[in-house]
Amino acid sequence: MYVKRANDNFIRWFNANRNELTGLAQAWLEMGNRAVGIWGQQLLACWPASTWDELSKLQEPDMTLCASIKVEDIVVGRIGVLGVLQNLTRKARLDAETSLISQLLTMQTRFESAATELIAQAQLRVEIDMAANIQVQLLPRKFPQIEGLDIYGLSCPAMQVGGDFYDFSSFKNRPFVFAVGDVSGKGLSAALFMAMTRTILHTAARFMPTIDPSSILVRVNEDLYDDFSEVGMFATAFVGCYDIPSKQLTYTNAGHSPVIYCPVNGPTVFLGADSPPLGSLYTIPCKNHTLSLHANDVLIIGTDGLNESFNDAGEMFGYERLLQAVKDFSHLSSSEIVIELFNTITQFTGGYTQSDDQTLIVIKGVEKSCG
Amino acid sequence: MEITNEHIHGATILTLAGHFDVYATPTVEHLFQNIEAGSIPYFIINLSNVSFIDSTGLATLMIGEKRCRQQDGCLILFGIQKTVNVIFEVTHLNKILTIVNTREEAIERVQRLQES
């Protein structure tokens, strides 16, 4: 129920600001036979009206009681009760007045508790928004321009913050290294570990003297193992290192899926892992593998939120549909592939809310131009 | 998600049913966190009615496995459906967690550990 208008009596009784009252969407809660209005951090209540129409019909009350709602000694709103006590006997009037006061005090207590909770939630929302903003800043906003490659990606957290990440390292005299990962769990805990994992991976790719994907992941795992193990989390990761002259990609995969390789002259296949995720063992048995990224060869690195998307019938998108969609769109550019794959998944889920983050990076070989 | 537990031969058998995901894991994680210090925990997890497991579910099993191992116990999984087994395989967590086919095999493993 929403407040759509405020009549003069209501504004006068509770000393409300008409603009505030009528200009904003206001949620009404039913508390027994009382209708309660909340907008922003201002709270209002009226009694005995259970709907706005009833309230509007109420004639000039001959008893109005107001009380302040305080949170940590700051007045955040007001509540009130109204009484029409005419034509009552003296005793009945006394009883009605006592009842009104009692109701006001009960409502004041309940509202102060609700207001405290509302304000705490609002503060938490602000903190989460800030965390989400920081997380967005951590992910590359521009895709690297690498000779012979067309790169594009997208990451959509299920909650405001998530555990998926991707990173690109493209520095002078260093090979192009990229990583895609997924920290177990959701929300803030996953986001914290995502930031940590992404930073350690980035530093390793930038400064390690030997650059090969398995050395990077073994090193990153050693750095992270104690922290991951302590809290019972892990992170899957796929790391690739591209050699421009030979168009060869060296990669390693620690428990990450889905990764799909779609070469022009060969079957489209999933690239499986040969090691469990980061944080699951002190030493992970990563191995390097190579593949070609010649013109029109496509490599898709997603996170499990893609194939584990559900529709409202409880049916999962799954690996087979994903594989087929990759085959269908592999002739497009990397950005078009990303968009079409997301569209296909959204079409399947029918807008059903997903519980896991979804990230997709597409790397496509091209003749000459880049990005 | 439905969770039932029974105690047989000194082991706790947890039977999970439905989706073992972020919404279902707190109850199971709570059980692992409440393992008494000094006790030797033996957990057998029946996954035969679990149709989906996400990374939070996998992490919860890893927490349980670690907790049991630290106290000289064990955590054994059995009855994993084909669709769920794919997830264990692609993450390679089937190399870390102890997985058997049947309840009998799981109980036998626990008994062998208890006798050793």
Side-chain angles (χ1 to χ4, degrees):
Chain A
M1 199 189 306
Y2 295 95
V3 176
K4 290 174 183 158
R5 57 194 186 278
N7 71 5
D8 291 339
N9 279 347
F10 191 90
I11 286 162
R12 186 157 44 83
W13 296 331
F14 297 117
N15 194 24
N17 178 318
R18 185 189 291 274
N19 291 333
E20 273 184 2
L21 194 62
T22 54
L24 303 169
Q26 295 136 24
W28 281 72
L29 307 171
E30 293 289 338
M31 292 172 65
N33 62 345
R34 300 169 194 94
V36 175
I38 299 175
W39 71 98
Q41 293 183 352
Q42 297 286 313
L43 307 173
L44 272 186
C46 56
W47 179 90
S50 60
T51 66
W52 180 261
D53 289 337
E54 253 182 82
L55 176 74
S56 301
K57 283 178 208 155
L58 196 63
Q59 297 305 304
E60 183 78 15
D62 55 359
M63 185 171 173
T64 305
L65 296 173
C66 284
S68 296
I69 304 295
K70 289 183 180 178
V71 175
E72 292 174 357
D73 287 335
I74 297 168
V75 177
V76 296
R78 293 155 61 77
I79 58 166
V81 290
L82 313 174
V84 181
L85 308 176
Q86 293 146 4
N87 306 323
L88 293 179
T89 63
R90 185 182 167 79
K91 185 177 180 309
R93 187 184 172 91
L94 198 64
D95 287 346
E97 283 174 3
T98 310
S99 165
L100 278 175
I101 291 167
S102 157
Q103 282 165 22
L104 180 71
L105 293 175
T106 306
M107 286 165 71
Q108 186 184 30
T109 308
R110 293 175 71 173
F111 266 75
E112 282 188 341
S113 160
T116 305
E117 178 72 18
L118 278 173
I119 289 168
Q121 281 175 9
Q123 283 168 342
L124 185 64
R125 271 199 298 275
V126 170
E127 301 278 336
I128 291 174
D129 284 347
M130 284 166 68
N133 198 27
I134 290 168
Q135 195 169 40
V136 167
Q137 304 291 324
L138 284 178
L139 296 177
R141 275 162 288 174
K142 284 185 182 170
F143 296 99
Q145 308 284 299
I146 307 294
E147 186 188 322
L149 294 181
D150 169 25
I151 303 169
Y152 195 77
L154 191 61
S155 186
C156 306
M159 299 177 187
Q160 277 170 295
V161 288
D164 283 5
F165 66 90
Y166 59 88
D167 191 48
F168 305 114
S169 300
S170 170
F171 300 102
K172 204 176 175 185
N173 301 323
R174 308 275 292 178
F176 168 57
V177 179
F178 65 90
V180 180
D182 180 2
V183 176
S184 63
K186 313 280 185 293
L188 278 175
S189 57
L192 271 173
F193 275 83
M194 166 269 177
M196 214 159 76
T197 310
R198 177 256 163 212
T199 302
I200 292 176
L201 254 167
H202 190 83
T203 309
R206 186 170 186 182
F207 297 111
M208 270 178 68
T210 312
I211 302 191
D212 73 78
S214 68
S215 306
I216 291 174
L217 273 195
V218 167
R219 166 70 190 276
V220 169
N221 181 63
E222 282 169 6
D223 287 348
L224 287 170
Y225 176 76
D226 287 343
D227 290 331
F228 268 111
S229 178
E230 183 67 30
V231 295
M233 292 171 81
F234 60 75
T236 65
F238 180 95
V239 175
C241 179
Y242 181 68
D243 180 57
I244 296 173
S246 67
K247 295 182 181 291
Q248 294 288 302
L249 179 86
T250 309
Y251 71 89
T252 192
N253 184 347
H256 193 82
S257 77
V259 184
I260 301 173
Y261 178 49
C262 181
V264 177
N265 300 314
T268 303
V269 290
F270 281 102
L271 301 181
D274 44 33
S275 153
L278 305 173
S280 57
L281 293 172
Y282 182 69
T283 304
I284 50 171
C286 280
K287 288 180 194 141
N288 283 327
H289 305 270
T290 54
L291 55 82
S292 298
L293 274 179
H294 290 289
N296 297 320
D297 292 342
V298 179
L299 179 67
I300 311 268
I301 310 115
T303 55
D304 56 9
L306 296 171
N307 48 291
E308 291 172 4
S309 296
F310 286 88
N311 62 18
D312 62 357
E315 200 181 355
M316 194 163 74
F317 189 69
Y319 285 116
E320 291 312 313
R321 284 190 186 87
L322 187 63
L323 196 70
Q324 187 56 52
V326 169
K327 285 180 192 170
D328 292 345
F329 302 126
S330 63
H331 63 285
L332 301 173
S333 70
S334 63
S335 58
E336 289 167 334
I337 295 173
V338 169
I339 290 162
E340 289 304 329
L341 286 177
F342 267 100
N343 282 345
T344 305
I345 292 168
T346 307
Q347 231 165 24
F348 173 82
T349 59
Y352 186 68
T353 308
Q354 301 303 308
S355 66
D356 203 359
D357 311 330
Q358 298 174 326
T359 296
L360 181 62
I361 300 294
V362 174
I363 300 178
K364 182 167 186 172
V366 288
E367 283 296 345
K368 281 261 180 204
S369 61
C370 46
Chain B
M1 168 160 208
E2 288 172 36
I3 302 168
T4 53
N5 70 35
E6 53 181 317
H7 299 277
I8 294 177
H9 304 299
T12 302
I13 303 183
L14 286 185
T15 301
L16 313 180
H19 283 201
F20 190 32
D21 58 13
V22 66
Y23 305 108
T25 48
T27 316
V28 178
E29 195 176 332
H30 185 72
L31 283 171
F32 294 143
Q33 277 166 352
N34 283 348
I35 293 173
E36 282 174 35
S39 68
I40 301 179
Y42 298 101
F43 272 92
I44 295 172
I45 318 280
N46 178 359
L47 294 174
S48 56
N49 292 318
V50 169
S51 53
F52 172 71
I53 185 166
D54 73 352
S55 65
T56 319
L58 293 172
T60 304
L61 294 177
M62 297 282 286
I63 290 171
E65 192 276 336
K66 185 185 167 195
R67 198 68 206 271
C68 292
R69 185 165 32 85
Q70 281 172 338
Q71 291 182 218
D72 296 324
C74 68
L75 180 141
I76 300 172
L77 312 175
F78 78 90
I80 301 177
Q81 290 184 22
K82 206 174 162 186
T83 49
V84 174
N85 197 41
V86 169
I87 299 166
F88 281 97
E89 281 176 358
V90 296
T91 54
H92 271 237
L93 290 176
N94 57 343
K95 305 279 168 63
I96 294 176
L97 296 162
T98 307
I99 299 172
V100 298
N101 290 324
T102 64
R103 176 188 166 103
E104 289 68 33
E105 281 176 78
I107 292 172
E108 206 180 296
R109 284 264 187 131
V110 166
Q111 285 177 323
R112 277 213 303 272
L113 272 169
Q114 286 168 334
E115 286 160 11
S116 64

